[in-house]
Amino acid sequence: MVVTRVLNLLLTASDNQAVYRCDATNEAKTTISAQTKLLVHFTAVSMKITAKQEVLRQGQEVKLECFSGSSHPKSDVSWNMGSMRFQGVEEAPKAALFGGVSVVSRLYLNLSSHHHNQKVICQAYSPVLEEGTNTFYQLDVLYPPEFSPEQTTEVQVVEDEAATMPLMVSANPEVLSCIWLHRRQMLVKGEDLRHQWSDDHSLEIRNVTRKDAGVYTIKCENDEGVNQTTVKLDVL
């Protein structure tokens, strides 16, 4: 007589290299046994990215470390940020939990203002399972005011109409102060009721006269530094 018993298991990483034994006993009190060791493939059980610097600034080089926890077999670690892909520097794999191996990969980035708020993603991919695990590190890069390449440099307006001179500036910290100068004279809020400033520091001049024509200099400053640009107002 043949007897079959089935044990169904929902496998996890901790089952790798586990030994299961089946014992069979009959009325003659004779016991026979069979055993098997499981070989379980699993993706990285944890992911973490750390930065060596506490404060990140434009122009500095930041070193990011990605720790890919135990996986079996070894995961391929890669980096990306948006559409850009990077090759990190890996340490030799180390024996880790559940009979797997962990990997540490380092990435060096020369920081610019364009990196601010970008998510740097580290992925540990298992070629055997054709799936992976990932995590990200969001960059907080400090930089002085910068004017957009799309910043307007000249505005035309007909006399007696209203002129808006937009200001496209970014900075981190975002708290910044901007002053406007016309013919080296600073424009003071409330001094000329025709001058109106919006929340983004853009300037609107109502009832424009030909005396308002000329070059306006805008100086913006935050804790990281100061920068300036100019806008020409052409009054027709």
Side-chain angles (χ1 to χ4, degrees):
M1 180 173 125
V2 176
V3 178
T4 301
R5 293 289 186 271
V6 177
L7 176 65
N8 294 314
L9 297 172
L10 181 61
L11 297 177
T12 65
S14 61
D15 290 311
N16 187 40
Q17 297 185 352
V19 176
Y20 284 82
R21 188 182 72 204
C22 176
D23 296 331
T25 305
N26 62 7
E27 293 179 358
K29 297 184 179 180
T30 300
T31 301
I32 60 174
S33 300
Q35 69 178 36
T36 186
K37 179 184 286 189
L38 299 183
L39 182 64
V40 181
H41 294 157
F42 56 93
T43 57
V45 297
S46 62
M47 297 284 293
K48 184 179 181 180
I49 300 177
T50 58
K52 288 304 179 181
Q53 297 95 320
E54 291 185 5
V55 179
L56 307 182
R57 283 189 167 87
Q58 175 181 261
Q60 293 181 340
E61 182 183 70
V62 63
K63 180 170 78 170
L64 300 176
E65 283 192 351
C66 177
F67 175 77
S68 171
S70 183
S71 65
H72 183 258
K74 173 186 172 297
S75 295
D76 295 334
V77 179
S78 62
W79 297 82
N80 69 80
M81 183 175 63
S83 60
M84 294 182 291
R85 298 188 179 275
F86 307 99
Q87 186 63 46
V89 180
E90 282 190 14
E91 290 185 355
K94 295 182 179 179
L97 291 172
F98 314 130
V101 292
S102 63
V103 179
V104 174
S105 177
R106 295 186 177 88
L107 178 67
Y108 299 86
L109 282 177
N110 292 315
L111 296 174
S112 71
S113 59
H114 301 294
H115 290 117
H116 179 56
N117 277 337
Q118 291 287 327
K119 291 180 179 180
V120 182
I121 298 172
C122 177
Q123 175 170 291
Y125 181 77
S126 170
V128 174
L129 297 174
E130 296 185 344
E131 61 180 290
T133 308
N134 64 68
T135 188
F136 69 88
Y137 185 92
Q138 188 159 10
L139 298 170
D140 183 15
V141 182
L142 300 177
Y143 63 96
E146 284 190 359
F147 298 97
S148 168
E150 299 175 2
Q151 168 65 42
T152 299
T153 58
E154 184 173 352
V155 173
Q156 281 191 342
V157 63
V158 176
E159 194 170 25
D160 295 327
E161 292 185 355
T164 299
M165 290 183 280
L167 187 62
M168 302 175 68
V169 61
S170 64
N172 187 33
E174 294 181 355
V175 178
L176 52 83
S177 61
C178 294
I179 61 172
W180 286 71
L181 298 98
H182 182 223
R183 296 173 183 165
R184 299 184 180 179
Q185 294 296 315
M186 186 172 71
L187 305 183
V188 180
K189 291 183 180 181
E191 191 172 273
D192 189 333
L193 297 180
R194 298 180 307 120
H195 295 163
Q196 301 292 325
W197 281 268
S198 60
D199 292 338
D200 64 359
H201 305 286
S202 297
L203 173 63
E204 180 186 11
I205 304 177
R206 299 172 181 174
N207 301 320
V208 171
T209 71
R210 62 197 67 187
K211 291 182 180 180
D212 295 316
V215 176
Y216 288 76
T217 300
I218 308 100
K219 293 183 179 180
C220 293
E221 182 177 7
N222 69 354
D223 291 341
E224 293 299 306
V226 62
N227 201 355
Q228 69 178 46
T229 189
T230 59
V231 178
K232 180 182 178 182
L233 181 62
D234 184 15
V235 180
L236 305 178

